Amino acid sequence: MTLLLGSSGNAKTPSTLPALNGEESEARPAILIEVSPARLYRGWPLVVTVGLRHANRRKDPAAGSAKALVIRSQGGDLGRLFRFEKVRFNKDSGRQETITLPLKQLGAAPKEVSLHPGDDAVPIARFGLPAAETATLTPATYIIRVHLNSSIGTSAESWHGTAWDGTELQIHDEPSQLTESLACAKVLAQDEYLQGIGAKQKAHEVLDDFLSRTPDTLAKACWVARAKKHERAGNLQAAGDDYCRAAKAENEALASISLKAENGASGPTVGSPRYALICQEFKRRFAAPADPPSNP
């Protein structure tokens, strides 16, 4: 499922039946969900990002804002309109189990959202569970179901109704020994949760500490994450250095896959290096001579 912040690539459960001719017959919201990490190990923090879009994906330029769907909270933000469940099939009982998932809202959410047909999803809020609470979850494959109820707690002008959607979440026991790639995934889960609760400095420290102990040829995703942090902060030279470290890790992984293929072992397909190009672009940018001073 795709949200503005990325894609979890998980299976999705439809919340409504498709209308005739592929068009929505009613103005209603659609929920989009991103789960991070998509493969959760017990004792890792969990973050669920929720967004909304208009259920009608067809943009009608002639309609202007006439078909806009407005959800306006009354006495609080829109995050309070959502609740979460985890659902799984119990083989022993032969029944479906539905259990409330006590996700807590991380940070603020807007008090009002205006959804237009054909527009991209609007991020609403992030919700999460700390590591101590995911440690108590039972390993299994679940559907996380998100419910929106705007029939209460909203203004008179708001859209009133309910909607839901779901996405798959796999929960596993953490291996006794983590590969560098898996250790990086754990650090990124911690980083996202810490940023969600507003502990940005702690999030930077956790990522920096891990990378200070990690060779350049490993943990590509963590080098990319730090490069993006530097890029957002305007520290482009540091961003370029980290993209180049990500390129080293990428090349190492591709070389390993190629070697296995040569030896007859099956594995993932080798693709084009992505971060090598970004690294080269940053190097060109900083190697270019400075513009001569202009005449007064």
Side-chain angles (χ1 to χ4, degrees):
M1 253 175 307
T2 301
L3 195 59
L4 297 182
L5 299 179
S7 173
S8 65
N10 294 337
K12 185 179 176 184
T13 305
S15 57
T16 57
L17 293 175
L20 295 177
N21 301 322
E23 294 187 47
E24 299 289 344
S25 59
E26 184 181 358
R28 59 184 297 108
I31 301 174
L32 284 87
I33 315 159
E34 182 183 0
V35 176
S36 179
R39 184 183 179 94
L40 177 68
Y41 292 91
R42 297 201 304 162
W44 293 22
L46 172 68
V47 175
V48 178
T49 304
V50 176
L52 292 174
R53 64 167 176 80
H54 199 292
N56 188 346
R57 291 198 167 192
R58 290 193 173 187
K59 186 183 290 288
D60 184 1
S65 60
K67 292 185 179 180
L69 187 154
V70 176
I71 304 177
R72 182 178 296 124
S73 180
Q74 188 176 45
D77 65 30
L78 294 177
R80 60 201 288 270
L81 304 181
F82 293 89
R83 64 180 178 87
F84 300 84
E85 299 170 335
K86 59 187 176 81
V87 184
R88 70 163 180 162
F89 180 76
N90 189 315
K91 294 181 180 179
D92 295 331
S93 66
R95 296 181 178 180
Q96 178 177 286
E97 294 180 346
T98 301
I99 304 170
T100 297
L101 192 60
L103 296 176
K104 299 176 181 64
Q105 186 173 327
L106 310 179
K111 293 184 178 181
E112 176 183 328
V113 65
S114 181
L115 309 175
H116 299 264
D119 282 1
D120 291 333
V122 178
I124 301 300
R126 288 190 287 186
F127 303 83
L129 276 182
E133 294 189 34
T134 68
T136 66
L137 299 177
T138 302
T141 297
Y142 297 90
I143 295 295
I144 287 186
R145 203 151 56 191
V146 183
H147 294 264
L148 165 68
N149 184 359
S150 69
S151 59
I152 56 174
T154 51
S155 67
E157 305 82 12
S158 174
W159 176 84
H160 296 97
T162 61
W164 65 270
D165 210 341
T167 191
E168 183 183 283
L169 173 67
Q170 296 182 16
I171 301 177
H172 302 269
D173 285 320
E174 183 181 89
S176 56
Q177 290 189 337
L178 299 181
T179 63
E180 292 293 343
S181 177
L182 202 54
C184 170
K186 183 175 185 178
V187 167
L188 292 180
Q190 294 169 337
D191 176 89
E192 184 165 5
Y193 183 81
L194 288 168
Q195 290 196 66
I197 63 174
K200 294 185 178 181
Q201 183 58 39
K202 179 63 175 176
H204 296 328
E205 291 171 359
V206 167
L207 182 59
D208 287 349
D209 177 67
F210 172 73
L211 290 175
S212 70
R213 300 178 280 105
T214 303
D216 289 3
T217 53
L218 298 171
K220 175 189 71 177
C222 282
W223 291 116
V224 172
R226 193 166 76 166
K228 289 180 177 179
K229 284 176 183 281
H230 285 312
E231 199 168 6
R232 286 193 295 268
N235 192 348
L236 300 184
Q237 187 146 8
D241 291 342
D242 284 343
Y243 277 127
C244 290
R245 292 184 175 99
K248 285 184 181 180
E250 184 175 56
N251 289 337
E252 184 80 7
L254 292 174
S256 175
I257 293 171
S258 297
L259 182 61
K260 289 179 181 178
E262 290 174 3
N263 294 330
S266 60
T269 303
V270 179
S272 301
R274 177 182 178 186
Y275 293 104
L277 298 175
I278 298 176
C279 169
Q280 291 168 13
E281 175 59 32
F282 271 86
K283 283 183 175 180
R284 281 195 296 268
R285 186 184 305 182
F286 289 104
D291 294 333
S294 57
N295 294 326

